[in-house]
Amino acid sequence: MKVLQERICQDGNVLSDTVLKVDAFLNHQVDSKLAMLIGEEFAKRFAKENITKVLTIEASGIQFAMATGFALQVPFVYAKKKKAITQSDDVYTASVHSFTRKETYQISVAKAYLKPGERVLIVDDFLATGAALVGLCDIVKEAGAELVGVGAVIEKSFQEGRGLLEERGIAIHSLARIKSMSPETGIEFIEEIGACKS
Amino acid sequence: MKVLQERICQDGNVLSDTVLKVDAFLNHQVDSKLAMLIGEEFAKRFAKENITKVLTIEASGIQFAMATGFALQVPFVYAKKKKAITQSDDVYTASVHSFTRKETYQISVAKAYLKPGERVLIVDDFLATGAALVGLCDIVKEAGAELVGVGAVIEKSFQEGRGLLEERGIAIHSLARIKSMSPETGIEFIEEIGACKS
C-alpha cells in the first residue's frame, strides 16, 4: 500500500535493526483518515471471503479492526489481555509470549462473540514474531469458526511470524512488508516503493 | 441518541444497580456501524469548536475516538496505561484510581502528540466516577492545550463523574444518560426514550 509505505518513510522512526516506531500516525497518535484507508484496503483484499467478523487484540489493533469492520459492514471483536490465569468457562483463551516485554500473558474472547460457522478475518498493526497472531488463530480454531486470513498493517518480514502462519496454511496480506531496516540505511520494503531513508 | 439508547435496552445487560455490561456491541464485540454513528454524533455536537485533536484512553475508548476523529477529519491520540510509575521527560502523566479494580494506575501521552494551542475533544465509552476522564483533562491542561469538552457514550448520571467535570467548567455531551438502573426494573434514561426493561 503505497501511501502507507511513504508515510512510514516520512514519519516512522527506525530505532534499531528490529524496532520501528510508528506512534506518530499508527499506534499512539493515529491518522484517522489513513487508518480508514487501511481498513478499506483489507476489505478489498479479502472482498470475496464473505467475512462475518473481524478479530483483533487490544489496544493497537482496534483502530484497524474498526476501519476494516466498517468497510466490510460487519462487527469486530477485540481480544482482551489479562494478567491473571483464571480460566473461565465462558471465554476462549490463548497464551502469548511477548519477546519485547519478556513476559507471557493470556488473551481472551467471550464465547458469545465468536461462534462456529463465522468467517473471521484477523487484523493487527504488526506481524513480527507472530506470537499474538498465532494466539488469535488458536482462539478462532477453538471456537470452531473459519479463519479466512490475517491482515497486518506492517510486516517485519525478517522475523519468523509470516513463516509460522504460512505453516498453518493461513492467507496473509501485509500492507507494508519490510525486508530489512537500520537507523543508518533506512528501510527496504519487499514490494512497491522499494527502499527509503526514514 | 435514540438509536444508542434503544440498543442499550435491547443488548445491554444490567448486572447490578451500578454495573451495565455493553460488551455485545460497544466494548468487546463492537458494532462498527453504530460506533461510526456515535463518532458522527460527537462531531455534530462539537462542530463549532474547531477541534484539532481527539483524545481518549486505551482500550475501550479507541473505537469511538477513531470514529470521531474520522468524522472531524483530525487525528486522535490514545493515552496508554502503565503499571510502572516511571516518570519520563517526554510524556505527560496522570494518576487514575479505578474504583472497580481497586488499583491506581498511570496514564501517559507523549508530549510530541499534544501541543500548546491544540483544541482537544476527549471521548470515552463511560462517564461514571470520572476518574479516567479527570486524568485526561489534567493531561490536556499540563500540555497547555485547550479542552473544548468531553463526549461520553454512556453516562451513569447517578455517579459523581459529571459533577467533577462540571466543577471544572467542562462542557459534557453524553449520548445515553442513565438516571438509574437495576436488574429488576431495567434502565431509566434522563432524556429521549425514557425508561426501558433491558
Side-chain angles (χ1 to χ4, degrees):
Chain A
M1 191 181 175
K2 193 157 174 272
V3 64
L4 170 69
Q5 295 181 11
E6 287 170 347
R7 187 65 175 276
I8 293 167
C9 291
Q10 186 188 305
D11 292 333
N13 195 355
V14 181
L15 297 185
S16 72
D17 292 0
T18 55
V19 180
L20 171 65
K21 251 184 105 173
V22 288
D23 66 354
F25 60 106
L26 287 183
N27 57 17
H28 180 24
Q29 177 167 256
V30 181
D31 180 331
S32 51
K33 286 178 277 186
L34 177 63
M36 199 62 82
L37 290 177
I38 286 168
E40 286 166 11
E41 182 68 24
F42 284 138
K44 205 168 72 181
R45 295 199 185 196
F46 291 96
K48 292 180 180 163
E49 293 291 349
N50 298 311
I51 290 157
T52 62
K53 198 159 281 179
V54 176
L55 177 65
T56 190
I57 184 167
E58 65 179 8
S60 55
I62 293 177
Q63 51 273 32
F64 308 111
M66 168 72 192
T68 309
F70 184 71
L72 291 166
Q73 295 281 289
V74 300
F76 74 92
V77 172
Y78 54 96
K80 308 212 167 186
K81 291 175 184 171
K82 305 189 298 180
K83 276 147 274 172
I85 310 177
T86 46
Q87 185 95 20
S88 155
D89 281 349
D90 56 0
V91 296
Y92 299 113
T93 61
S95 287
V96 173
H97 182 72
S98 167
F99 293 88
T100 44
R101 296 184 185 185
K102 294 187 181 66
E103 60 177 18
T104 299
Y105 59 93
Q106 283 221 317
I107 61 174
S108 67
V109 172
K111 288 184 178 174
Y113 309 136
L114 204 55
K115 295 274 175 70
E118 298 230 57
R119 294 182 59 78
V120 180
L121 170 63
I122 293 173
V123 304
D124 206 1
D125 56 346
F126 274 99
L127 167 57
T129 67
L133 287 166
V134 165
L136 289 175
C137 293
D138 287 344
I139 282 177
V140 173
K141 196 174 175 185
E142 205 185 335
E146 186 85 16
L147 177 62
V148 304
V150 166
V153 181
I154 299 175
E155 175 184 317
K156 294 177 185 166
S157 304
F158 51 87
Q159 289 188 285
E160 65 275 31
R162 174 176 278 265
L164 288 175
L165 296 176
E166 282 179 338
E167 273 173 22
R168 295 167 176 236
I170 296 165
I172 307 161
H173 279 280
S174 303
L175 305 185
R177 297 184 65 192
I178 297 174
K179 188 175 175 183
S180 66
M181 60 185 191
S182 81
E184 295 76 28
T185 59
I187 300 170
E188 189 184 354
F189 292 102
I190 288 185
E191 293 147 349
E192 294 187 291
I193 73 165
C196 70
K197 190 94 178 71
S198 84
Chain B
M1 192 180 176
K2 194 157 174 272
V3 64
L4 170 67
Q5 295 181 12
E6 287 170 344
R7 187 64 175 277
I8 293 168
C9 291
Q10 186 189 304
D11 292 332
N13 195 354
V14 181
L15 296 186
S16 73
D17 292 1
T18 55
V19 179
L20 171 64
K21 251 184 106 171
V22 289
D23 66 354
F25 60 105
L26 287 183
N27 56 17
H28 180 24
Q29 178 166 256
V30 181
D31 180 332
S32 52
K33 287 179 276 185
L34 178 63
M36 199 62 83
L37 290 175
I38 286 168
E40 288 166 10
E41 182 69 25
F42 284 137
K44 205 169 73 181
R45 296 197 185 198
F46 292 95
K48 292 179 181 163
E49 294 291 350
N50 297 314
I51 290 158
T52 63
K53 199 157 280 179
V54 176
L55 177 64
T56 191
I57 183 167
E58 64 179 10
S60 54
I62 293 177
Q63 51 271 32
F64 307 112
M66 167 73 193
T68 309
F70 184 72
L72 291 165
Q73 295 282 288
V74 300
F76 74 93
V77 173
Y78 55 95
K80 307 212 167 188
K81 292 176 183 169
K82 305 189 300 179
K83 276 145 274 171
I85 309 176
T86 45
Q87 187 93 20
S88 157
D89 282 348
D90 55 0
V91 296
Y92 299 113
T93 60
S95 286
V96 173
H97 182 72
S98 167
F99 293 88
T100 43
R101 295 185 184 184
K102 294 187 181 66
E103 60 176 19
T104 299
Y105 59 94
Q106 284 222 317
I107 60 175
S108 67
V109 172
K111 288 183 179 174
Y113 308 136
L114 204 56
K115 294 273 174 70
E118 298 229 57
R119 295 183 58 78
V120 180
L121 170 63
I122 293 174
V123 304
D124 206 2
D125 56 345
F126 275 99
L127 168 56
T129 67
L133 287 166
V134 166
L136 289 176
C137 293
D138 288 345
I139 282 177
V140 173
K141 196 175 176 183
E142 205 185 337
E146 185 86 16
L147 178 61
V148 303
V150 166
V153 181
I154 299 175
E155 175 184 317
K156 294 176 184 167
S157 304
F158 52 88
Q159 290 189 285
E160 66 275 31
R162 174 174 279 265
L164 288 175
L165 297 177
E166 282 177 340
E167 272 172 22
R168 296 167 176 236
I170 295 165
I172 308 161
H173 280 280
S174 302
L175 306 185
R177 297 183 65 193
I178 297 173
K179 188 177 178 183
S180 67
M181 61 185 188
S182 81
E184 296 76 29
T185 59
I187 300 170
E188 191 184 353
F189 292 103
I190 288 185
E191 294 148 346
E192 295 188 291
I193 73 164
C196 71
K197 190 90 178 72
S198 83

